[in-house]
Amino acid sequence: MPRSLSKYFFLGLWFCSSSFVWASPRPAHLDSFHTTAPQRSFSSMEATVFRSFRGWYRSHSSLTAPLFDYGLREAAWRLADRLAHRQIRSLPHRWVIPALWLSGRSDHQIRIFAMAFRTPQELTRSLQRALASRLAGQRPNFFGLAVVSHRVNVCLMILARRGVILRPIARLWRVGDIARVEGRLLPGFKHPKLVLGTPHGKVIRPKVQLDAKGYFSASWRVRWGGKTQVQIMVEDDKGPWISAQWDLWSWAHKQKQRTVWRRLWVYYLKQLSYNTTTPSRTRQRWNSRTAAHRLWQIVNQQRQLRKLPQLRRHPTLDALAQAHANDMVREQFFAHTSPQQGSFTERFQTLGWRVRAAHENIVVAFSPKEAYQYWYQSPSHRSNLIAKRLKLTGVGAAIDSTGAIFFVQVYVRK
């Protein structure tokens, strides 16, 4: 077969197979975190890094070494290969998430160590410094690593803190179907919650059934078409956090199934495009004080449109939020739990307040408007933005050397 025709032959074969799959009564497993990742063999350099990594955890008996995960290994290999070939120079969100998606994982709590090195000794020293300063502070329980040599030697390691193991979940649904999520809690975690962010901005929390062995399930009827963001919330001894996050897509009965799947696939291919020449945006210069004030104004403007009570800023809460924003920039981490100051619950308890509810939103963006958009697209963050009973707030912002703004907003109900 001529080479020019072979591409169209396999493309047609793929479409025929997809039509056959969709004709079956049971939805296909087009999920983002249960695909089988290729089990690449370890190189000698990767084995050296693996031993150094495990050795560091053995020397710290108070910490449990993470388990190796082939999905995270594949995601690390994809990103390291691009860095080594200089197809990208940094790891923004739009590169990391598609790599995790295509490699079979959709973890929310991740940390990444990436380094170009010349000698193994240089790499080992830097990795151990990173583990001591920030990588191990989030107590990851799974990891994957890759070392790629091309123009430069690049080592990339992904560490994830995962609270649940989920069973295969269909990513595409028809309106009217009953969607179902099943999984198992990992040891040390409790109180699983399911949060759905609908295309219309409404937050839905289906009831989760949990048995004595840690297996849980939740189901709901799909009543809308478009993208639904799904989050699994769990709790541990440091407080509540998001364990997994992914998207579900649904369509009405009159829509063509093949068109919906093709749009979804093209969307992720665009995210993984090799073309890195993006037009530069003219960014407004912000300082920490004006950025925090502007974010507070945007949140209240959106609450006013929904006829919700305005959030009043409190100086004590402002100081709490600003301290955490400064801590994230200074210590170079992004999480609700600080390696030095502890979780949000621990930091809030230092105020000595007795309140009915307290929540915290964090985000990294280049403007207050962008920060609000990120929060609004996340169900758990959006629920804090539009909660009717939250009345007090504190806002903080800190800017790092690249111009990125670390926003923190605290919400309190007395």
Side-chain angles (χ1 to χ4, degrees):
M1 181 182 296
R3 186 175 181 181
S4 59
L5 296 179
S6 61
K7 175 176 65 175
Y8 298 100
F9 172 77
F10 287 110
L11 185 62
L13 183 64
W14 179 82
F15 272 115
C16 291
S17 64
S18 65
S19 300
F20 174 77
V21 169
W22 288 117
S24 61
R26 186 176 182 180
H29 287 159
L30 301 173
D31 53 285
S32 65
F33 38 80
H34 288 282
T35 56
T36 302
Q39 298 187 7
R40 303 176 186 272
S41 58
F42 265 35
S43 65
S44 59
M45 179 59 68
E46 288 171 336
T48 301
V49 176
F50 185 90
R51 288 193 297 269
S52 175
F53 178 77
R54 289 292 184 140
W56 187 88
Y57 272 94
R58 281 196 298 269
S59 64
H60 294 73
S61 57
S62 60
L63 298 174
T64 303
L67 302 175
F68 184 77
D69 183 275
Y70 280 103
L72 295 179
R73 151 85 162 152
E74 178 64 17
W77 189 90
R78 291 173 184 269
L79 295 172
D81 184 64
R82 301 245 172 138
L83 287 172
H85 288 76
R86 295 187 179 179
Q87 291 164 344
I88 55 176
R89 295 188 178 183
S90 61
L91 295 174
H93 183 270
R94 68 185 184 91
W95 287 96
V96 175
I97 297 304
L100 287 168
W101 187 80
L102 290 179
S103 61
R105 295 296 177 267
S106 182
D107 296 294
H108 192 76
Q109 297 286 110
I110 63 171
R111 293 290 177 272
I112 295 181
F113 169 83
M115 177 182 176
F117 64 94
R118 289 169 293 185
T119 64
Q121 294 78 12
E122 178 185 9
L123 172 62
T124 300
R125 289 194 299 268
S126 297
L127 175 60
Q128 293 186 350
R129 282 198 301 268
L131 285 168
S133 63
R134 57 189 175 88
L135 281 184
Q138 200 65 27
R139 296 179 299 160
N141 53 3
F142 293 92
F143 80 101
L145 69 91
V147 177
V148 177
S149 298
H150 185 60
R151 297 179 181 177
V152 294
N153 299 320
V154 173
C155 174
L156 194 141
M157 181 175 291
I158 302 179
L159 296 92
R161 181 154 177 79
R162 190 179 303 154
V164 297
I165 297 294
L166 299 175
R167 293 188 61 185
I169 302 168
R171 289 182 61 85
L172 301 183
W173 296 88
R174 292 185 181 92
V175 173
D177 288 347
I178 300 296
R180 184 175 178 85
V181 173
E182 296 179 340
R184 177 174 60 87
L185 276 175
L186 291 173
F189 301 94
K190 58 185 178 181
H191 300 157
K193 299 178 182 178
L194 185 65
V195 184
L196 307 177
T198 69
H200 311 294
K202 186 178 180 180
V203 178
I204 299 177
R205 302 175 185 271
K207 186 177 180 180
V208 177
Q209 304 291 338
L210 179 66
D211 65 15
K213 296 183 179 180
Y215 290 91
F216 65 89
S217 63
S219 59
W220 70 95
R221 184 175 295 277
V222 180
R223 301 183 183 277
W224 52 86
K227 184 179 74 171
T228 299
Q229 191 173 70
V230 184
Q231 292 177 344
I232 296 289
M233 309 283 293
V234 296
E235 295 183 12
D236 60 3
D237 57 345
K238 293 293 185 180
W241 55 280
I242 301 173
S243 176
Q245 176 175 299
W246 69 97
D247 296 330
L248 298 181
W249 299 72
S250 55
W251 70 94
H253 290 281
K254 295 182 180 180
Q255 291 180 280
K256 292 185 177 180
Q257 304 158 350
R258 187 182 301 166
T259 302
V260 176
W261 167 240
R262 186 166 61 245
R263 288 178 180 175
L264 174 62
W265 183 247
V266 170
Y267 169 77
Y268 281 104
L269 287 182
K270 285 183 178 180
Q271 297 294 311
L272 287 172
S273 171
Y274 281 88
N275 181 16
T276 59
T277 59
T278 56
S280 59
R281 293 185 299 171
T282 302
R283 290 171 177 159
Q284 179 180 350
R285 293 182 177 272
W286 295 92
N287 59 52
S288 300
R289 184 175 180 180
T290 57
H293 183 73
R294 180 56 186 156
L295 178 62
W296 171 64
Q297 289 180 327
I298 293 175
V299 172
N300 274 340
Q301 288 171 1
Q302 296 299 320
R303 289 176 66 91
Q304 185 177 7
L305 293 176
R306 293 172 174 80
K307 298 181 180 181
L308 297 172
Q310 299 288 285
L311 295 174
R312 293 184 290 107
R313 294 183 70 173
H314 194 285
T316 303
L317 298 178
D318 280 342
L320 180 68
Q322 187 63 48
H324 189 56
N326 294 337
D327 193 23
M328 287 192 291
V329 171
R330 181 175 58 254
E331 301 296 334
Q332 298 181 356
F333 74 96
F334 177 71
H336 291 282
T337 301
S338 167
Q340 283 77 30
Q341 306 302 323
S343 66
F344 169 67
T345 302
E346 293 171 330
R347 290 182 281 109
F348 188 83
Q349 287 175 348
T350 61
L351 303 181
W353 287 20
R354 298 186 64 181
V355 299
R356 295 183 180 181
H359 306 279
E360 180 183 61
N361 281 359
I362 62 174
V363 70
V364 180
F366 286 95
S367 69
K369 183 178 180 181
E370 188 179 40
Y372 180 85
Q373 291 173 347
Y374 286 151
W375 281 344
Y376 189 78
Q377 294 170 1
S378 168
S380 58
H381 295 88
R382 187 192 312 164
S383 61
N384 293 333
L385 293 174
I386 61 177
K388 184 177 181 179
R389 296 183 178 182
L390 298 176
K391 302 294 180 63
L392 296 179
T393 188
V395 188
I399 305 175
D400 67 3
S401 58
T402 66
I405 310 174
F406 287 66
F407 289 99
V408 179
Q409 185 167 17
V410 179
Y411 311 85
V412 169
R413 175 192 173 194
K414 278 202 167 184

